[in-house]
Amino acid sequence: MPVEIDIAKVAALARIALSDEELAAYGAQLGVILEHAERVQALPTDDVEPTSHPLPLVNAFRPDEVWPSLDRDDVLSQAPDTVDGYYRVPQILDGP
Amino acid sequence: MSVIPEGWEAVIGIETHVELQTRSKMFCGCRVDFGDEPNTAVCPVCLALPGALPVANEAAIDGIVRIGTALDCTINERSLFYRKNYFYPDLPKNYQISQYTYPVCEHGRIVVDVDGEPTVIGITRVHMEEDTGKSLHMGEGGRIQDADHTLLDFNRAGVPLVEIVTEPDIRTPDQARAYGAELQRIVRTLGVSDARLEEGSMRFDANVSVRRAGTSELGTRTEIKNVNSLRSMQRAIAFEIERQVEVLAAGGTVVQETRHWNEATGRTTAMRSKEESEDYRYFQEPDLLPLSIDERWRNRVKASMPELPAQLRARLVAAGADERTAGLLADSPLLAGLFDAAVRAGAEARTVASWLTGEVVAYARRVGASVGELHLTAEHLVELAAMVAGGELSATAAKQVLTGVLAGEGGPRQVAEAMDLLQISDSGAIEAVVADVVADHPDALEKIRSGDAKPIGFLVGQVMRATGGKADPKMVQEIIRRSAGL
């Protein structure tokens, strides 16, 4: 059974530019995955305890201790644009 | 102050973000320190470098359990982290680790009191997440909308952040402010955050809609951002209510959008339209295990709860302070502690409460010191109150003495003597003066005897003059009445 999926919207949300051909191709592929999920969802699971993680582990914690941070020059050397120890990026908000 | 237009009702819900003051960040060991040079408290985890994995900070989880417990929440035994996906430069991973279904805490409440009217405000949820980096919008004019580029500092990215969401139970700007103030007091009492609005360690967003009074359908809401004080939250909500009522009364429709509060103009303006409803595509964070907060943990937190502001206020009122001064005392642990100790040692509660919230606070403000820096102990208050109760000091003179004590001039008796403010409370001495005065004015005494009370005041005045104002006027009056046979 075919599953409706707005592949263009998914691509836009993920900031991925897709051509019309790609939209069609990935749409079909994702459709197959969703159909599979539907089949799984149709299984009777009333007696199955919900699982969010495959391992029976909880509470993997770290004590509240400070570790050394990275050197700023090293960090900023990876950035396309920096000013006075800051990353610099283009204007975020649209004008009025 | 704020008035809702006649015939209308506002429906308000508040989302509050609180930065926890842990030593290290939520999912990595970078230090939490807000005075640092930009981008010096960053590492592969909080910069989202490939392959880095988050590990939850146990102290932060303990902090949110403390907040939830103080807000009367159910602490969920099992709780999950989710990824909230969106793109913004201050979010290095392109998702924020947050919670969705199964937050740590749900179904709590805060009671706020506005003009003696208690209102219960439901807490929908309290969940754990991480803060984003800090953006500085640079450009001409200083308005966000005019910025031509943005500077980013990721020291704040990954700082433990707790979000507290209310039910839409708030009806007035005053209630909203009272809620914010009470939440701030609670968080500070718990010691989990300094909760400073002006520095952003506590931040409020208000959802506001209006409807005709008596109707139950919810109107279209707007979300107000950028309120940096309790007062501006109150003003922003009041403005927004008025704006929405104006739009609807003129036959228009309210647009669902985020609006930016401008403190200088006193107005909200539209930021971005929410026409395309945001789609955060929440899914479970696969890099983090579920949380299990068992009964032992919950009980340990419950047992370690400090006295909360509402409990403290109730206790101060029970000890004899009135509601208003109890509120003022409860806002300062130092003042509340002085009050407690002085009253326990026998000082009269109302007198002490009025000194602490009046003279002491005013003096501290005048000299620009904190209450803790003043030369004031509970013993001073007890001694001073005893001198007033014993008639040695008038209420007015006691305030002068208190100011001297605050200035470090010595203990109350020492200061009173140095200022020559001690009253004559020795009845024998006063009786002698009264006898002299009455002998000089036999007609006055006669009038009093025959039922005319007017000359009493005159005689008291004469005695006060004769003693240079140092007699206890109450005692003088008593002695005059007695010698007139009343």
Side-chain angles (χ1 to χ4, degrees):
Chain A
M1 101 199 89
V3 177
E4 279 296 316
I5 175 166
D6 187 346
I7 186 72
K9 187 188 174 196
V10 173
L13 284 170
R15 303 289 193 277
I16 300 172
L18 295 179
S19 65
D20 288 347
E21 294 76 40
E22 285 170 323
L23 281 175
Y26 292 128
Q29 288 174 18
L30 272 177
V32 172
I33 293 170
L34 288 177
E35 274 167 38
H36 178 69
E38 284 232 326
R39 278 198 296 277
V40 173
Q41 229 155 12
L43 295 173
T45 55
D46 290 349
D47 300 332
V48 181
E49 207 161 310
T51 310
S52 56
H53 288 71
L55 299 172
L57 294 173
V58 293
N59 293 357
F61 291 136
R62 187 174 63 71
D64 184 20
E65 285 164 10
V66 173
W67 71 38
S69 296
L70 294 174
D71 179 78
R72 183 167 72 183
D73 291 339
D74 289 348
V75 166
L76 294 182
S77 70
Q78 306 295 309
D81 194 5
T82 66
V83 174
D84 299 334
Y86 291 92
Y87 292 88
R88 186 162 112 144
V89 298
Q91 171 196 6
I92 296 171
L93 296 162
D94 297 333
Chain B
M1 53 151 265
S2 28
V3 180
I4 313 272
E6 185 71 34
W8 294 85
E9 179 179 64
V11 178
I12 304 157
I14 295 175
E15 292 166 18
T16 309
H17 286 92
V18 177
E19 280 173 351
L20 299 186
Q21 269 172 332
T22 47
R23 284 185 283 275
S24 65
K25 290 186 180 179
M26 184 67 228
F27 298 114
C28 65
C30 286
R31 67 190 176 277
V32 171
D33 187 343
F34 299 105
D36 276 342
E37 283 288 300
N39 295 308
T40 54
V42 292
C43 76
V45 174
C46 55
L47 285 176
L49 301 188
L53 288 172
V55 187
N57 182 341
E58 185 166 17
I61 305 299
D62 205 62
I64 190 175
V65 174
R66 285 171 70 76
I67 292 175
T69 304
L71 299 182
D72 237 343
C73 289
T74 304
I75 310 297
N76 288 327
E77 169 103 38
R78 190 182 168 83
S79 167
L80 298 170
F81 284 111
Y82 276 73
R83 290 186 183 180
K84 178 181 180 179
N85 299 280
Y86 66 95
F87 290 88
Y88 205 71
D90 63 13
L91 190 71
K93 294 192 291 291
N94 292 335
Y95 60 83
Q96 178 189 33
I97 301 178
S98 180
Q99 296 195 282
Y100 191 54
T101 47
Y102 312 108
V104 177
C105 326
E106 287 178 285
H107 314 305
R109 64 210 285 273
I110 280 189
V111 181
V112 299
D113 200 310
V114 175
D115 301 328
E117 221 176 283
T119 308
V120 177
I121 294 166
I123 303 293
T124 313
R125 56 190 273 132
V126 181
H127 72 246
M128 188 82 241
E129 56 187 35
E130 55 177 341
D131 210 346
T132 61
K134 211 171 223 171
S135 318
L136 286 170
H137 303 283
M138 309 302 283
E140 303 297 312
R143 287 177 61 215
I144 284 187
Q145 286 89 339
D146 298 336
D148 56 20
H149 63 275
T150 297
L151 302 183
L152 294 167
D153 170 13
F154 289 113
N155 287 349
R156 201 182 67 178
V159 167
L161 195 64
V162 168
E163 181 171 342
I164 300 153
V165 183
T166 73
E167 294 288 308
D169 288 344
I170 300 167
R171 292 289 171 270
T172 67
D174 289 1
Q175 283 177 2
R177 180 181 183 156
Y179 166 80
E182 185 69 359
L183 183 59
Q184 185 180 43
R185 282 191 283 265
I186 291 170
V187 166
R188 286 180 175 169
T189 303
L190 294 173
V192 294
S193 173
D194 61 359
R196 293 168 81 106
L197 294 164
E198 64 283 7
E199 282 164 21
S201 54
M202 185 176 216
R203 313 193 278 269
F204 295 115
D205 299 328
N207 288 300
V208 178
S209 66
V210 299
R211 63 187 175 198
R212 293 276 181 191
T215 59
S216 58
E217 205 175 315
L218 288 170
T220 304
R221 68 188 162 85
T222 60
E223 183 179 7
I224 310 171
K225 290 195 179 283
N226 192 43
V227 289
N228 300 324
S229 70
L230 291 168
R231 166 129 181 86
S232 53
M233 174 163 72
Q234 187 183 21
R235 285 177 67 203
I237 292 172
F239 173 85
E240 190 56 21
I241 292 170
E242 208 171 304
R243 186 191 70 84
Q244 290 185 15
V245 167
E246 250 170 56
V247 168
L248 294 176
T253 49
V254 172
V255 180
Q256 182 169 341
E257 62 191 357
T258 301
R259 298 182 67 87
H260 187 89
W261 168 250
N262 185 323
E263 184 70 36
T265 61
R267 306 175 62 83
T268 64
T269 47
M271 273 179 83
R272 54 191 137 117
S273 164
K274 277 197 177 174
E275 277 164 61
E276 269 182 74
S277 82
E278 279 160 37
D279 187 344
Y280 293 122
R281 294 152 295 145
Y282 281 97
F283 65 89
Q284 272 180 41
E285 167 57 275
D287 291 341
L288 288 164
L289 289 175
L291 296 173
S292 172
I293 297 153
D294 60 11
E295 200 179 349
R296 223 175 112 217
W297 190 341
R298 296 196 298 268
N299 286 340
R300 178 168 53 74
V301 168
K302 223 179 267 176
S304 74
M305 276 286 116
E307 181 178 47
L308 295 171
Q311 296 166 332
L312 173 57
R313 286 193 302 270
R315 195 166 58 72
L316 294 173
V317 167
D322 61 54
E323 300 267 356
R324 199 188 66 86
T325 43
L328 293 170
L329 290 172
D331 273 348
S332 157
L334 276 168
L335 290 180
L338 284 168
F339 175 85
D340 265 344
V343 171
R344 217 178 301 125
E348 205 271 317
R350 265 171 208 274
T351 309
V352 172
S354 130
W355 286 338
L356 287 172
T357 56
E359 282 69 31
V360 173
V361 169
Y363 183 87
R365 200 172 297 147
R366 201 160 63 235
V367 301
S370 71
V371 172
E373 290 164 340
L374 302 175
H375 302 271
L376 184 67
T377 64
E379 290 72 33
H380 288 146
L381 293 167
V382 174
E383 187 181 349
L384 192 60
M387 289 168 79
V388 173
E392 288 181 89
L393 277 179
S394 70
T396 318
K399 290 179 182 179
Q400 278 174 265
V401 171
L402 181 55
T403 307
V405 172
L406 291 168
E409 290 165 19
R413 182 161 301 278
Q414 200 182 344
V415 172
E417 276 166 6
M419 289 180 163
D420 199 18
L421 286 169
L422 283 177
Q423 293 183 143
I424 302 167
S425 58
D426 168 8
S427 60
I430 295 178
E431 267 164 27
V433 181
V434 169
D436 285 350
V437 167
V438 166
D440 290 345
H441 303 281
D443 47 328
L445 195 65
E446 261 328 295
K447 275 193 193 162
I448 297 169
R449 281 202 177 118
S450 62
D452 181 1
K454 259 186 254 157
I456 295 179
F458 166 75
L459 291 179
V460 171
Q462 294 301 309
V463 174
M464 295 306 287
R465 184 192 290 180
T467 57
K470 282 190 200 157
D472 175 359
K474 252 195 288 174
M475 194 177 280
V476 172
Q477 198 179 58
E478 266 168 43
I479 292 170
I480 292 169
R481 283 171 172 276
R482 213 185 307 137
S483 41
L486 297 179

